């Protein structure tokens, strides 16, 4: 028997239907104190897209196993190098925390980079991967850019300036999380189940998913962006690094959502992540804490 769709009239008042119409937000954002950083981050994404797009599907792509048994390619390193070059030229006093080429402590301003989030997809030819660019200022995430050229999409946000989907400030749509407020009407995405087993929480997770409307595995950055744009309502992962989350946090929160670790502590500092539309956050934590 098929489950009831949240398009049914019984919950029309709480089911959010995203509407996208690209327009310019430059006039609205130009006064934001991090406007210049946002425009720089978007230009960094352009530089990254050139590298990643050229290497995706390349027959001579070089792949190695890192000590944690995750893959790294020549494209990962080349992309991070390109991003670091832009930072060195434009923000020479800022520190950089990157997945492949060094994790510096913050100097007050720190760029947090994942050159290719979804490297396993990248290696196998699955077009769901992205470059993640976050800016941390005084331990607060103030800018986030997620660029996925083979999904033909980009998401970005700036502190107190909203969250957007589009290639740049002049061609974007404002995005917002859903209004779903009951788990039985909620859609959730996961990356895998293995990490939950290692954490000892897989049974709790399965109990949660048994009480949802829908479960899918979009994975990696994409599930968090789908939360931010209101297409799904919950995304969670039990094992993450700072570079996996830093760019995501401003986008989810500026879209009206909530991003914490699995204990409910705000931000990307806990080594794991839970993003929701906010209305469902406490209910999800009741299962996963």
């Amino acid at each position: 028997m098929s489950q009831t769709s949240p398009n049914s009239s019984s919950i029309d008042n709480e089911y959010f239907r995203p509407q996208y119409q690209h327009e310019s937000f430059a006039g609205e954002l130009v006064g934001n104190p991090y406007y210049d950083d946002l425009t720089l981050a978007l230009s960094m994404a352009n530089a990254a897209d050139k590298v990643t797009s050229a290497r995706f599907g390349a027959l001579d792509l070089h792949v190695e196993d890192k000590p944690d048994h995750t893959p790294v390619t020549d494209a990962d390193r080349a992309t991070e190098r390109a991003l670091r070059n832009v930072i060195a030229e434009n923000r020479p006093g800022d520190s950089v925390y990157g997945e492949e080429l060094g994790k510096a402590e913050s100097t007050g301003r720190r760029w947090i980079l994942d050159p290719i989030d979804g490297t396993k997809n990248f290696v196998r030819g699955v077009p769901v991967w992205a470059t993640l660019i976050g800016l941390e200022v005084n331990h607060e995430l103030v800018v986030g850019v997620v660029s996925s050229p083979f999904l033909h999409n980009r998401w970005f946000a700036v502190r107190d300036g909203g969250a957007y989907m589009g290639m740049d400030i002049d061609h974007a749509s404002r995005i917002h999380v859903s209004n779903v407020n009951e788990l039985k009407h909620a859609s959730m995405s996961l990356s895998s189940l293995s990490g939950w087993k290692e954490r000892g929480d897989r049974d709790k997770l399965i109990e949660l998913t048994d009480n949802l409307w829908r479960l899918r595995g979009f994975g990696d950055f994409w599930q968090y962006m789908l939360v931010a744009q209101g297409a799904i309502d919950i995304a969670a992962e039990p094992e993450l690094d700072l570079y996996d989350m830093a760019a995501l946090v401003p986008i989810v929160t500026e879209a009206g959502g909530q991003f914490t670790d699995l204990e409910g502590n705000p931000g990307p500092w806990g080594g794991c992540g839970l993003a929701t539309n906010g209305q469902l956050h406490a209910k999800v934590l009741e299962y996963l804490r």
Side-chain angles (χ1 to χ4, degrees):
M1 180 180 295
S2 62
Q3 294 174 298
T4 302
S5 165
N7 281 311
S8 61
S9 59
S10 63
I11 57 167
D12 269 351
N13 61 337
E14 69 178 23
Y15 186 66
F16 182 81
R17 297 171 177 79
Q19 301 292 322
Y20 308 122
Q21 181 175 350
H22 283 185
E23 56 186 298
S24 175
F25 292 91
E28 181 177 333
L29 294 176
V30 70
N32 188 285
Y34 301 108
Y35 177 80
D36 289 343
D37 293 312
L38 174 61
T39 58
L40 178 61
L42 289 167
S43 71
M44 290 164 62
N46 292 337
D49 285 357
K50 290 180 181 179
V51 179
T52 56
S53 297
R55 297 302 292 153
F56 183 58
L59 296 178
D60 62 343
L61 185 72
H62 181 67
V63 186
E64 301 174 18
D65 270 339
K66 294 191 287 188
D68 63 359
H69 304 295
T70 60
V72 60
T73 71
D74 59 274
D76 291 85
R77 295 189 177 114
T79 303
E80 185 168 325
R81 195 172 296 114
L83 294 171
R84 286 173 177 267
N85 288 342
V86 175
I87 294 168
E89 180 178 349
N90 293 275
R91 300 288 190 275
D94 294 359
S95 57
V96 180
Y97 184 106
E99 180 176 11
E100 310 301 345
L101 302 178
K103 301 176 181 179
E105 295 297 323
S106 179
T107 58
R109 286 177 50 94
R110 179 169 62 164
W111 295 89
I112 303 170
L113 311 174
D114 189 342
I116 301 178
D117 185 61
T119 299
K120 292 177 181 177
N121 283 348
F122 189 92
V123 168
R124 292 294 303 271
V126 178
V128 183
W129 45 268
T131 296
L132 313 186
I133 302 167
L135 175 61
E136 172 198 357
V137 177
N138 298 324
H139 205 60
E140 298 288 337
L141 278 307
V142 299
V143 169
V145 173
V146 172
S147 190
S148 183
F150 273 70
L151 288 181
H152 307 288
N153 218 338
R154 186 177 288 178
W155 300 261
F156 58 90
V158 61
R159 170 66 62 86
D160 297 327
Y164 305 87
M165 185 169 65
M167 295 308 294
D168 55 51
I169 293 170
D170 288 319
H171 304 87
S173 298
R174 190 185 294 275
I175 57 176
H176 198 277
V177 295
S178 74
N179 292 320
V180 174
N181 59 19
E182 294 184 51
L183 290 176
K184 65 181 180 180
H185 297 148
S187 179
M188 180 178 186
S189 175
L190 301 171
S191 289
S192 71
L193 289 175
S194 57
W196 296 93
K197 180 180 180 181
E198 294 169 8
R199 184 182 170 88
D201 290 343
R202 189 156 66 176
D203 289 344
K204 295 179 184 178
L205 175 69
I206 291 172
E207 184 182 1
L208 167 63
T209 62
D210 284 343
N211 287 278
L212 301 174
W213 170 63
R214 197 166 188 249
L215 175 67
R216 289 294 183 268
F218 300 109
D220 299 318
F221 72 94
W222 197 22
Q223 59 191 9
Y224 299 97
M225 298 302 93
L226 292 173
V227 170
Q229 69 187 68
I232 66 174
D233 315 297
I234 307 162
E237 289 180 90
E239 296 175 317
L240 294 169
D241 201 304
L242 179 58
Y243 53 72
D244 294 310
M245 298 182 280
L248 312 180
V249 173
I251 300 172
V252 170
T253 56
E254 286 294 324
Q258 195 168 349
F259 195 112
T260 71
D261 63 20
L262 295 173
E263 297 298 323
N265 302 303
W269 318 109
C272 50
L274 170 64
T276 75
N277 64 0
Q279 297 185 55
L280 298 169
H281 211 84
K283 297 175 184 179
V284 174
L285 284 172
E286 287 178 9
Y287 286 89
L288 299 182
R289 269 187 174 135

